Amino acid sequence: MKIEESVKKRIIRNIFLSLFIYALPILLMFFTFYFTGQRPWLKKTTKTVQVIKP
């Protein structure tokens, strides 16, 4: 079965649009880190919980 050229173009366009929408939040996060200089992965603050056994 042959796909019409217009349908093929529409499918390809929709695939690229879906990938762009999926990747947009990730790209915005990296741009935000770049412009603000934040590096949250470098901060290694962990809370220690003290367990008291009776």
Side-chain angles (χ1 to χ4, degrees):
M1 189 166 131
K2 180 110 171 120
I3 298 176
E4 293 181 21
E5 190 65 30
S6 64
V7 174
K8 185 178 174 182
K9 286 182 181 180
R10 207 169 0 153
I11 290 172
I12 292 171
R13 185 195 71 200
N14 286 340
I15 288 172
F16 283 119
L17 184 61
S18 295
L19 289 174
F20 176 72
I21 291 172
Y22 179 78
L24 187 62
I26 297 166
L27 293 172
L28 289 174
M29 179 183 66
F30 283 118
F31 283 132
T32 302
F33 290 157
Y34 178 75
F35 287 118
T36 61
Q38 294 179 2
R39 301 289 184 263
W41 55 90
L42 295 178
K43 295 180 182 176
K44 297 196 180 212
T45 56
T46 58
K47 285 188 174 183
T48 56
V49 178
Q50 186 178 18
V51 178
I52 301 173
K53 293 183 179 181

